[in-house]
Each structure stands twice: as structure tokens, then as C-alpha cells.
Amino acid sequence: MSAVLDRLQRFLPQLVLAPTTVAILVFVYGFIFWTGWISLTRSKLLPRYDLAGFQQYITLFQNDRWWVACKNLVIFGSLFIFFCTVIGLLLAILLDQRIRLEGAIRAVYLYPMALSFIVTGTAWKWMLNPSLGLERLVQQWGFENFTFDWLVNSEMAIYTIVIAGVWQSSGFVMALFLAGLRGIDDSIIHAAQVDGAGLPRIYRRIIIPSLRPVFFSAIILLSHVAIKSFDLVVALTSGGPGYSSDLPATFMYAFSFNRNRLGFGAASAMMMFFGVMAIIVPYLYSELRSKRHG
Amino acid sequence: MANRDGIVAASGRSAIAGRIFIYALLAIFVIYYLLPFFVMLSTSLKTMDDIRTGNLISLPRQITLEAWSTAWDSACIGVSCEGIKPYFWNSIKMVVPAVLISTIIGAANGYVFSKWRFKGSEVLFSLLLIGCFIPFQVVLLPMARTLGQFGLAQSLPGLIMVHVVYGLAFTTLFFRNFYVTIPDELVKAARIDGAGFFRIFWRIMLPVSTPIFVVCVIWQTTMIWNDFLFGVAFTGGATQPVTVALNNLVNTSTGVKAYNVDMAAAIIAALPTLIVYVVAGKYFVRGLTAGAVKG
């Protein structure tokens, strides 16, 4: 009896991890495999398990709406990452100048991160609506020909998602950069000051280059947010007008759940999965490696 | 590593001008971040007439809480006209168990991954870590079927289970990274003294774990409360969480748009996480930046 208990004691760590291991293997890896399999079948409303090759992917790549979603992802992703990074870096540098009330200001910059994208989308949808929102405000200020109808303009709707996304996430990038700035060794900067270098020069030549790892993390994390963006589009434009502001995430949802095209939806989900993995796996690899060596 | 409070600028008249410039820029951004919330709040306190005649940033001519009470318990969402109150409670009933369960399991996992490594545990940890990053679209379809087969489709217990499963990667990561910083010698000494797996956890790890518990609980609460994707995919009608209900309220196309009610509902849906942020912002930020910045 005690021998059994002893053995049990020795395997306790494995036992504790067992439920999580099973859950991850089934609900993450098993499910990814299932989705991958279904994407290779002709499943419509119900899953079929007989493989049919890459037909769904071929249909996907011939689908106009999919390409609109991909193009939008590129537009949204690059602008979102660019503006979040620039604003985040600017705010972090400004806040790093021995600012009074720094804590309070930082808290204001960061509070949108605590909000749901649905709330953010609802707020911006109201502000950007052409009849009663910003457009009318500026018109009342005397600029009577001012128009700002991006929300209902199929050419411009995707940019409203950038506006709201940047508002929500730039404070987070600020926090990343500020943490990075606080980690820089003072003595290097003092040495540069003794050498007569001015502040802008010190920033350009010493501080910003030494933030490279933070740039790297921020861009990876933001691109991950961009690819997964779903709620914000749903709340702000519902992918419209038409499907002009669709992203892959809303595309996948529309075809899988509203139109019940299981195999087709699965193929689009797999494309998203490959996209995220192409970014994340090298990142994790380099993070884990540098942790081990550093 | 030296800890800096900030850059020291040179003094002089141009320095003063520089300071004014910096504060002005900071103030502009304060307005930029606060404006949407201000607009939401003031719109929610207006009457519809006031909204039509005023503008985005005009103050309410007469403050009324009518929109708030409509949003809370009489606005129509789908076929039921009970406001977002029932969905608000759904979210609470979902968040509390999901956060507690995922945090407790995460603590135990993190303890093993940091202090009881075994052959293969690192590989397991890497496998788990990837779970933090997968786009959830890739598990939506099989999860919907699985929940259906177990009779959990469109139910809160099903949604709670989903949040627990996909929260585990994060909670484990938090605790693992925290426990790694506790010296191994402490654990070794306790083992020599005859303390077992649970005793060490109970007596050595848990007493110092309060900060990471706070970080983890806040992170999970925010993530699960704010979730929309799982909510919209796995619940419907009476069981939807507040984010889904809010979206349904705002995006219904029937009748006259009541912007004041929309805004009141949005603030109500945002309040719990906002309160958590105001009360424990420090820990929220720590959760956000955990793992993203080294050192």
C-alpha cells in the first residue's frame, strides 16, 4: 500500500499537469487537426470526413470577398502597427522626462485597454456616424462643406477600424516602450551628455536603437492583435458597407456560422492559423532561446 | 541594472519652453484618450431631442438618467425587452467561476513547470505557450460541435469551460514566470527537511504568491468579461454575455436609433473592467507587459 502511495507521490507533478495536458492536446492540437482535416473535405452544413484535396482552398483563393478581407488586413495591419508604434514611442519618450502627474497621465493613456472592443466600436461608431457625429460637429463650427462619411463609404470604412484600433491599443505600446526606456542604463546617457551630445541626438543615436527588442515585441504583439481582430469590425462596421471592411476573422465567421459552409470556413480558419504561426513561432523561438542564454 | 526616473534636461529659458511644449503635447493626448469616454457619458445623459439639436461635445442641457434605466432593464434586445441587466448577470456568472478555476489550475501548473521539472516538461510548456497565440477561429468549429454533443451548446457552463480551457495557457505562463524567480534552494532545503509536493506549495509558494494571483485574476477577468468571439459563437438568446447583448442592442436595425441608450448600455458593459482598472491598474499593466518585455 505504502509502495503505491510512494509511487503516486513521485508522479505527483505529472498528475497535476495531466488535466491541462489532456485539455491542450484535445482542445488546441486535436481541434486544429480537426479543422485542418475538415478544410480538406467537401463538408457543408455537416462534417464529412472523406478527403477531397485542396478544393476548399482553391475556392477560397478564387473568392473575391476573401481577397478583400486579405487586402483589408494588410491595410489595417500596417497602419494599425505603424500608428500604435509611433504614438506609443512618442508618448513613452515624453513621459520619460520627469513629468509631474506621470502616474495619472499614464493611467489615462492606458484605460482603453481595459475596455471591450465592442464598447470601443460602439463609441466610435457613434462619433463617426455622418448625420450626428463628428461631421456635424465640424459643420456647426462653420465648415459647412465638411464631410466625413468614412463609416458608410465602402472605400474608406476599413480606415475607421484603424482609427478606433489605434485609440484602443496605442497606450499599451506606450507602456511597453516606457518599461524599455526605464531599463536603459543611465551611465551610457550621462557619458554621451558629457561628450556634449544634445538630447535629440542621444535619443536618435543611443536610446531608440537600444529599444530594438521592444520594437520587435510590440510589432509582433500588434500584428497578432491585427490578425485576430474580429469584435472591433463587428461592432464598428459589421464588415460593411457590403463586405468592404471584412477581415479574415469576420470572413471566417460569416461563412462558417451564418452560411454553414463548414469546409470553406475551416479553410479560411487554417489560413489565419498559418498566418499567425508564421509570425509567432519564430518569435517564441528567439524569446525562449535568448532567455536560456541570457 | 540601473533604474532611471527619466532623462534630466538642461536648464535655461529654452528648457522652460521645451517643458511647456512637452506638457502641451501630453495634454493633447490626454484629451484624445478621454474624449470618446466623455462623449459616451454626455450622450448617455441626454434626451434624444437634445442629441438631435446639440452636437457631439455639447453638454446635456438637462441631465436625465432615463437612457440609463432604459438600457439597464427595458431596452429591447432581440425579442426580449429586459435591457442588458440579465446579460450583465450572465457575464458575472460566467466570469467568476471561469477566472477562479483557470487561476487555480494555472497556479498548480506554474508550480510544476518551475519547481518540479521532469523529462518532457519543457516541451509540454512550449506546446502550452503556443496555445496563447492561436487564432481562436481555428478551434471554433470543432468546439461548437463538441459542446453540442455534450448538451452544452448555448449554455453558460459550456462557455465557462471554453474560457477555462483557453485561459489555461495564460494563467500557467503567469505563474510559471513568477515562480521561476523564487530561489530553487528554498525548495531544495524544504525537500531535505522532508516536505512534500503540496506542503512546499502551501507553505513556501502560496504565501508569496499574492501579487501574481492579483495579476492573473485581473487579466483573466478583463479577458473573459470583454470576450465577444466565444460568446457570440457558443451562446444565444437568454444565455449571451453582456458584450454580445450590447452588440445586438446597438446593431439592431429596427426602429429609431436611441443613441443615448446605446451609450448608457456601452458604459454599463464597460464598468466592471473599468473599475478593476481604476482600483488595480498597476497589476493590470503588469499582466499586459508580462512576457513582452524582458528584464
Side-chain angles (χ1 to χ4, degrees):
Chain A
M1 185 64 201
S2 81
V4 176
L5 269 180
D6 248 23
R7 278 186 76 91
L8 213 66
Q9 190 77 20
R10 242 188 317 137
F11 284 107
L12 258 181
Q14 283 92 328
L15 266 178
V16 167
L17 283 188
T20 306
T21 309
V22 172
I24 294 297
L25 287 181
V26 173
F27 293 115
V28 176
Y29 293 93
F31 276 12
I32 293 171
F33 180 79
W34 193 92
T35 306
W37 186 286
I38 290 299
S39 76
L40 297 173
T41 67
R42 291 185 206 284
S43 307
K44 282 262 169 69
L45 179 59
L46 290 170
R48 294 170 48 179
Y49 296 98
D50 45 326
L51 292 176
F54 290 96
Q55 193 50 50
Q56 303 285 10
Y57 292 89
I58 295 168
T59 321
L60 184 67
F61 290 135
Q62 288 166 345
N63 187 306
D64 254 353
R65 187 169 167 182
W66 172 253
W67 287 114
V68 169
C70 288
K71 199 185 100 195
N72 281 338
L73 180 60
V74 172
I75 296 174
F76 168 69
S78 49
L79 290 175
F80 172 71
I81 293 170
F82 176 78
F83 283 111
C84 280
T85 310
V86 169
I87 292 175
L89 179 63
L90 174 71
L91 293 180
I93 289 176
L94 290 177
L95 275 179
D96 198 33
Q97 313 295 324
R98 287 183 191 270
I99 295 301
R100 247 176 254 184
L101 295 173
E102 187 204 307
I105 297 175
R106 220 174 37 201
V108 169
Y109 291 172
L110 209 56
Y111 87 90
M113 278 304 285
L115 302 179
S116 151
F117 273 119
I118 298 292
V119 172
T120 302
T122 304
W124 283 94
K125 187 182 176 130
W126 158 233
M127 289 191 291
L128 297 175
N129 94 72
S131 55
L132 291 169
L134 264 176
E135 181 178 288
R136 185 159 77 162
L137 176 66
V138 178
Q139 282 172 356
Q140 283 187 353
W141 281 346
F143 303 93
E144 268 154 39
N145 295 321
F146 179 81
T147 53
F148 191 68
D149 63 347
W150 289 9
L151 201 58
V152 293
N153 178 334
S154 56
E155 293 281 301
M156 303 305 283
I158 186 70
Y159 297 97
T160 62
I161 296 164
V162 177
I163 294 174
V166 169
W167 179 79
Q168 168 124 353
S169 302
S170 45
F172 165 57
V173 184
M174 179 275 300
L176 290 182
F177 276 120
L178 199 56
L181 283 172
R182 297 281 149 87
I184 295 174
D185 194 340
D186 248 356
S187 55
I188 308 169
I189 295 155
H190 283 311
Q193 273 176 333
V194 169
D195 283 350
L199 260 190
R201 206 176 133 88
I202 293 177
Y203 269 102
R204 226 179 31 243
R205 305 296 286 273
I206 300 173
I207 296 179
I208 292 175
S210 71
L211 289 175
R212 243 189 41 199
V214 187
F215 275 99
F216 186 61
S217 302
I219 289 170
I220 297 280
L221 293 172
L222 289 171
S223 50
H224 180 239
V225 173
I227 298 180
K228 284 167 73 165
S229 282
F230 172 72
D231 337 18
L232 191 58
V233 184
V234 171
L236 199 56
T237 65
S238 318
Y243 52 79
S244 61
S245 60
D246 244 355
L247 286 181
T250 54
F251 178 94
M252 182 271 165
Y253 190 86
F255 280 92
S256 309
F257 287 84
N258 303 340
R259 298 197 187 183
N260 293 316
R261 287 179 61 183
L262 213 49
F264 192 65
S268 64
M270 287 312 283
M271 291 311 298
M272 288 180 65
F273 173 68
F274 293 135
V276 169
M277 285 303 120
I279 295 170
I280 286 300
V281 170
Y283 170 69
L284 285 182
Y285 182 73
S286 76
E287 281 276 292
L288 290 176
R289 215 180 49 162
S290 63
K291 254 180 204 145
R292 222 163 275 160
H293 292 287
Chain B
M1 187 185 292
N3 216 344
R4 297 184 313 109
D5 288 326
I7 296 274
V8 195
S11 50
R13 193 176 294 167
S14 71
I16 292 170
R19 298 299 283 175
I20 291 172
F21 178 69
I22 289 172
Y23 276 98
L25 265 180
L26 286 170
I28 289 170
F29 275 99
V30 166
I31 294 169
Y32 165 69
Y33 287 109
L34 282 182
L35 199 64
F37 192 77
F38 165 78
V39 169
M40 283 167 87
L41 192 62
S42 90
T43 307
S44 76
L45 298 172
K46 289 177 184 174
T47 60
M48 270 317 283
D49 275 341
D50 201 352
I51 289 174
R52 276 187 218 102
T53 52
N55 64 41
L56 213 52
I57 58 168
S58 62
L59 290 169
R61 254 172 304 170
Q62 197 186 4
I63 288 178
T64 162
L65 289 174
E66 217 172 291
W68 281 72
S69 83
T70 310
W72 179 243
D73 59 15
S74 64
C76 292
I77 297 163
V79 285
S80 92
C81 293
E82 297 168 66
I84 68 165
K85 182 173 72 177
Y87 311 103
F88 190 88
W89 293 122
N90 281 347
S91 277
I92 289 182
K93 280 185 257 172
M94 160 186 85
V95 164
V96 173
V99 168
L100 289 182
I101 297 169
S102 61
T103 303
I104 290 167
I105 300 179
N109 288 346
Y111 171 52
V112 174
F113 278 127
S114 59
K115 296 292 176 242
W116 294 84
R117 288 189 197 140
F118 52 87
K119 206 164 171 240
S121 67
E122 289 288 301
V123 176
L124 203 59
F125 182 67
S126 308
L127 284 178
L128 189 68
L129 206 55
I130 292 185
C132 288
F133 293 103
I134 58 162
F136 290 128
Q137 277 76 13
V138 83
V139 298
L140 279 188
L141 292 167
M143 187 51 104
R145 285 193 64 76
T146 309
L147 289 175
Q149 266 155 7
F150 286 96
L152 292 169
Q154 318 257 311
S155 79
L156 274 185
L159 191 59
I160 291 168
M161 191 211 82
V162 172
H163 280 300
V164 168
V165 166
Y166 296 109
L168 280 178
F170 289 98
T171 58
T172 303
L173 179 70
F174 281 137
F175 281 98
R176 187 256 189 197
N177 285 355
F178 181 79
Y179 288 147
V180 158
T181 62
I182 294 174
D184 283 342
E185 287 71 29
L186 229 54
V187 178
K188 275 187 196 131
R191 278 168 89 168
I192 290 166
D193 287 348
F197 181 86
F198 286 112
R199 211 178 143 77
I200 294 174
F201 185 55
W202 206 252
R203 288 299 188 74
I204 299 181
M205 309 305 262
L206 272 191
V208 296
S209 303
T210 316
I212 197 64
F213 266 99
V214 177
V215 168
C216 186
V217 165
I218 288 178
W219 171 270
Q220 283 294 87
T221 305
T222 313
M223 286 302 122
I224 298 175
W225 183 277
N226 286 344
D227 163 73
F228 177 73
L229 182 63
F230 288 147
V232 76
F234 303 138
T235 64
T239 58
Q240 49 192 334
V242 72
T243 46
V244 180
L246 172 64
N247 184 57
N248 286 343
L249 170 75
V250 174
N251 285 325
T252 38
S253 44
T254 47
V256 184
K257 279 254 71 42
Y259 293 109
N260 48 0
V261 175
D262 289 357
M263 291 304 124
I267 297 177
I268 293 171
L271 263 187
T273 50
L274 270 184
I275 290 171
V276 167
Y277 177 71
V278 170
V279 172
K282 196 177 80 180
Y283 294 97
F284 176 74
V285 178
R286 239 199 264 176
L288 274 179
T289 51
V293 180
K294 288 171 289 175

